[in-house]
Amino acid sequence: MTPRNRGTAWRVVRTLLRNRLAVLGAAIILTLVTAGVFAPLVAPRDYARQSLERGYETPSKDFWLGTDQYGRDVFSRIVYGARISLAVGFLTVGIGLSVGVLVGVAAGYYGGKMGNILMRLMDVLLAMPSILLSIAIAASLGPGLFNLMVAVGISSVPRYARIARGSALSIREMEYIEAARASGSSDLHILTRHVIPNCMAPLIVQATLGVASAILNAAALSFIGLGVQPPFPEWGAMLSEGRQFIRELPHLTIFPGLAIMITILGFNFLGDGLRDALDPRLRN
Amino acid sequence: MYRYALWRLVSLVPVLVGVAFIVFTLLYITPGDPARMALGDLATDEMVWEFREKEGLNDPFLVQFGRYLCNAVTKGDIGRSYMTKSPVLTELAASFPDTFKISAFAIVIALVLGVPFGIVSAVKQYSIFDSITMLFAMIGMSMPVFWLGLLLILTFSVHLRWLPSSGLDSFRAMILPSVTLATQSLAIITRMTRSSMLEVIRQDYIRTARAKGQRESVVILRHALRNALIPIVTVAGVQFGILLGGAVLTESIFSIPGVGRLMVSSIKMRDYPVVQGGVLFIAFAATFVNLLVDLLYVHIDPRIDVRQ
C-alpha cells in the first residue's frame, strides 16, 4: 500500500467511525460473524437435535426463542443459520463481483464490438427483475446451497459489470495508463495493477449493499423451496417451515424474520456509510 | 414523438430476444427429459421417442430456439404446461390481471406516500421528522417482503380480524398484499425523492424564486419538485417492474392466484415451461413499463429533445 493509499484508507475509516449508523451496522455484522464462526460455543444446543416431547414450546428460560415442531431449539438454529446466510451473502457477492468485474473491465478497457456485445448481454440480464432471474436459474439448476449461490450470484453480475465498465472507461484515458503502456506493460499487468484497483471504490459500496440483497434473495428462494433444504437452518427456510404454525406459534415466524431484517439492516447501514465515506458527493 | 416511440419499441426487440434466449437456455439445461415429464413415468421408450420427434426435441439447440421464438412471435405459443397440458400463455394471461392489480395498487401507495414524505424530509433536512422517516425507510428496505406479509396477517387477520388474509375478491382483501408489496418501493421512492429534492433546492433558480417572494409551497411544488421528478419517475418505473416480479412471494403468502403463485406452484411440481414462461412474461411486462417511463420523460421535462 502506497503512503497515498494509506492516507485515503485512513480518511475513509475516520469518516466511517464518525457515522453512528455505519458503526452500528459494522457492530451488527461483527456480532453475526462472531456468532456464526463460534456457533457451537454460542448456541446452547445442536441445530438438528430433536426432542419431540419438547416440541411446540414458546420462548422460555430453557429455550430462549422457543422450539419448533420437532423440538429443535429455535435460538440455536438461528445462530447456526447466521453461518449459512452470511456464507451465502459473501460467496454470492464473490461470484457476482468477480464475474462482473471481469466482464465490465474487459468491456470498458477494450471496448469495441466485444465490449458492446458483453454489455448488451448485461442489459438483457438487467431487463429481468433480479429475484425472477434468480428463480429461473435456481429452478433450472435445482434446489441446494451451491445452486442457490450460483443463481443469486449470476443475477447480480450485471450490476457489478456496469459499475466496473463505467470506471474502466474513464480510467483507460488516464495519463498513468498511457505511461504504463509506453513503458511496455502488458494489458494483463495494466488491468490487474492499475485498472481493477482503481475501479474498486464504487464496487466495494455496491458489494456491501449487494451482500444485503443477496441474503434477502437467497432467503426468498429458500422460502419458496428453491434454496437450502431442511434440516439446514437457513433463515428463509425456517420462516417457510414456521409459516404453517403462524396462528399458534408465531415465534417460529417472527424470530427468523427478525434475524434476516437485522442482518440486512446492518449491511445497509454500513453500505450507506461506506458510500458517504468513499464519495462524499453522494451523501444526500 | 411517435417516431421516437416507434424507434424505442423496435430497440426493445433485441433485448426481448435476449431474454427469450436466456429463458430458453435455462429450460434447455434443466435436468430431466421434457418428453418423459410430459408423458409421465408409464410411457414406453417408443412413446418418448415419438414425442421427442413430434415436438422437435431431437433437433439441435439453435434450431429449437429458432422454432420457440418463431412460435412465440407468430402464434403466441411459449410451450405447454406439463401438468395441465394447456398452453402456458393461456395460463399466464388468466393469472396476470391479479398480479397487475396488486402491483399497480402497490406502486400507487408507494408514490402517494413516498413522494410527500421525501419532499418534507428534504425541506426539513436533519429535523426529527427527517431522521425518523429515513430510519423507517431503511427498515422498509431491509424488511423481507415475505416476513412482512406474515406479520401483517398475524396482526390484522389473526389478532385484530380487520382484514382478510387471502384472496383478492374485494378492496379490503387487496389492502394487505398491496401494502406488503409496496413497503420496499415506498422506502426507495422516499429516499430517492429526498435526495433528488435536496439536489434541486440548492439551485440558484430556487433562491431566485424565493427572492421574488413566491410562497414556499409554490417554490417547492412548482419549481423544485418538477425539476426533481425525472429520477423519481425513473425509480418508480423500475420499482413497478420489480413489483411485478416481487409479487411472486406476496401472492404465495396471500394465496392470490396471480402469475407469481402460478410460478411457485409450478416450481414445486417441476412444471418448468410455466416457470420459464412466467419469467419471460414478467420480464416483457417490466421492459414495457420501462419504455413507457422513457416516453413519459418528454412530458415531464420539455428540455429533453427526442430527436437527439
Side-chain angles (χ1 to χ4, degrees), chain A residues 139-140 243 253 265 268 272 284, chain B residues 26 31 142 191 195 202 252:
Chain A
S140 296
R243 184 183 161 188
T253 314
L265 209 53
N268 280 340
D272 263 15
N284 290 326
Chain B
L26 288 172
S142 309
R191 278 166 63 100
S195 92
R202 289 172 188 158
S252 147

Side-chain angles (χ1 to χ4, degrees), chain A residues 13-184:
Chain A
V13 171
R14 270 204 312 273
T15 317
L16 259 185
L17 288 175
R18 276 202 296 269
N19 184 332
R20 270 179 288 179
L21 287 179
V23 172
L24 177 64
I28 291 173
I29 296 166
L30 204 63
T31 310
L32 286 163
V33 170
T34 313
V37 171
F38 298 106
L41 302 175
V42 178
R45 289 170 185 79
D46 184 74
Y47 69 86
R49 200 179 113 196
Q50 300 185 6
S51 43
L52 292 173
E53 69 283 359
R54 304 218 55 177
Y56 304 106
E57 281 192 25
T58 49
S60 65
K61 214 168 70 182
D62 286 349
F63 297 99
W64 298 342
L65 303 183
T67 62
D68 65 9
Q69 68 271 36
Y70 303 111
R72 294 177 299 193
D73 180 30
V74 174
F75 176 70
S76 302
R77 287 178 69 72
I78 287 179
V79 170
Y80 275 96
R83 276 186 172 184
I84 298 180
S85 289
L86 291 175
V88 167
F90 288 125
L91 290 174
T92 315
V93 165
I95 295 171
L97 189 64
S98 37
V99 180
V101 166
L102 276 180
V103 171
V105 166
Y109 185 74
Y110 292 109
K113 267 188 193 161
M114 197 56 202
N116 245 327
I117 291 172
L118 284 173
M119 291 324 288
R120 291 300 77 76
L121 180 67
M122 295 298 111
D123 285 348
V124 168
L125 290 175
L126 274 175
M128 294 184 250
S130 74
I131 179 73
L132 221 56
L133 183 57
S134 310
I135 288 176
I137 299 171
S140 296
L141 299 177
L145 184 60
F146 179 73
N147 291 349
L148 172 80
M149 291 193 284
V150 172
V152 180
I154 291 176
S155 69
S156 67
V157 165
R159 270 178 279 163
Y160 298 109
R162 279 179 81 121
I163 295 171
R165 178 182 173 267
S167 301
L169 271 176
S170 61
I171 291 168
R172 74 171 184 186
E173 305 299 335
M174 296 287 178
E175 280 174 5
Y176 59 84
I177 299 292
E178 208 179 321
R181 261 194 226 119
S183 67

Side-chain angles (χ1 to χ4, degrees), chain A residues 257-281:
Chain A
L258 207 55
I260 301 174
M261 197 188 84
I262 291 172
T263 310
I264 310 286
L265 209 53
F267 280 103
N268 280 340
F269 280 153
L270 183 65
D272 263 15
L274 268 174
R275 190 192 50 207
D276 292 350
L278 288 166
D279 191 352
R281 283 168 305 168

Side-chain angles (χ1 to χ4, degrees), chain B:
Chain B
M1 177 67 195
Y2 291 112
R3 193 183 284 179
Y4 172 70
L6 193 68
W7 178 80
R8 289 285 288 115
L9 208 58
V10 171
S11 67
L12 280 187
V13 173
V15 175
L16 296 181
V17 170
V19 171
F21 182 76
I22 288 171
V23 168
F24 183 80
T25 310
L26 288 172
L27 188 62
Y28 190 82
I29 61 167
T30 301
D33 182 359
R36 185 64 72 185
M37 286 187 192
L39 296 173
D41 291 337
L42 297 175
T44 60
D45 286 348
E46 287 75 22
M47 285 163 74
V48 171
W49 176 258
E50 199 179 319
F51 183 88
R52 291 187 66 84
E53 276 295 306
K54 195 179 129 207
E55 298 291 325
L57 294 171
N58 290 329
D59 293 337
F61 171 76
L62 284 177
V63 174
Q64 287 191 46
F65 175 65
R67 193 184 308 117
Y68 177 80
L69 205 60
C70 195
N71 285 342
V73 174
T74 56
K75 301 180 211 160
D77 176 10
I78 49 171
R80 274 175 185 275
S81 159
Y82 293 154
M83 297 299 147
T84 62
K85 315 286 181 215
S86 58
V88 171
L89 199 65
T90 313
E91 298 211 1
L92 291 171
S95 21
F96 187 64
D98 282 342
T99 302
F100 186 78
K101 229 191 279 180
I102 56 163
S103 303
F105 194 27
I107 199 72
V108 169
I109 294 173
L111 279 169
V112 166
L113 295 177
V115 173
F117 277 136
I119 293 173
V120 178
S121 266
V123 174
K124 310 234 175 250
Q125 194 185 9
Y126 302 131
S127 65
I128 292 178
F129 180 88
D130 181 32
S131 306
I132 292 175
T133 308
M134 285 304 104
L135 183 68
F136 272 100
M138 191 55 106
I139 291 174
M141 278 172 63
S142 309
M143 201 175 259
V145 70
F146 43 95
W147 185 57
L148 176 66
L150 293 173
L151 289 186
L152 291 178
I153 289 177
L154 194 65
T155 312
F156 294 99
S157 303
V158 177
H159 289 304
L160 298 172
R161 294 172 189 276
W162 286 354
L163 296 164
S165 64
S166 61
L168 205 59
D169 41 14
S170 65
F171 178 74
R172 285 178 67 237
M174 271 176 71
I175 295 175
L176 288 187
S178 303
V179 168
T180 304
L181 199 54
T183 305
Q184 223 160 48
S185 303
L186 169 61
I188 291 168
I189 288 174
T190 306
R191 278 166 63 100
M192 179 48 85
T193 307
R194 178 182 180 272
S195 92
S196 183
M197 284 292 287
L198 281 174
E199 289 269 315
V200 172
I201 55 180
R202 289 172 188 158
Q203 303 287 325
D204 288 342
Y205 61 83
I206 297 295
R207 199 181 307 143
T208 309
R210 283 204 180 105
K212 275 163 62 186
Q214 290 200 322
R215 268 184 296 137
E216 189 62 14
S217 58
V218 175
V219 173
I220 296 299
L221 295 177
R222 193 182 296 168
H223 295 276
L225 180 63
R226 190 136 187 225
N227 284 292
L229 219 50
I230 290 267
I232 301 170
V233 170
T234 308
V235 166
V238 171
Q239 283 303 308
F240 189 55
I242 292 173
L243 288 182
L244 288 169
V248 172
L249 298 158
T250 312
E251 287 171 8
S252 147
I253 294 162
F254 290 95
S255 308
I256 294 166
V259 176
R261 192 167 159 227
L262 178 69
M263 280 170 65
V264 173
S265 57
S266 305
I267 288 167
K268 286 180 181 151
M269 291 187 291
R270 295 177 172 267
D271 194 353
Y272 295 121
V274 179
V275 180
Q276 311 297 10
V279 175
L280 196 62
F281 195 80
I282 291 180
F284 276 28
T287 313
F288 192 67
V289 169
N290 283 335
L291 167 73
L292 291 182
V293 167
D294 272 8
L295 297 179
L296 204 62
Y297 288 162
V298 186
H299 285 285
I300 295 171
D301 191 345
R303 288 169 300 181
I304 294 174
D305 186 358
V306 293
R307 284 167 302 183
Q308 289 174 1

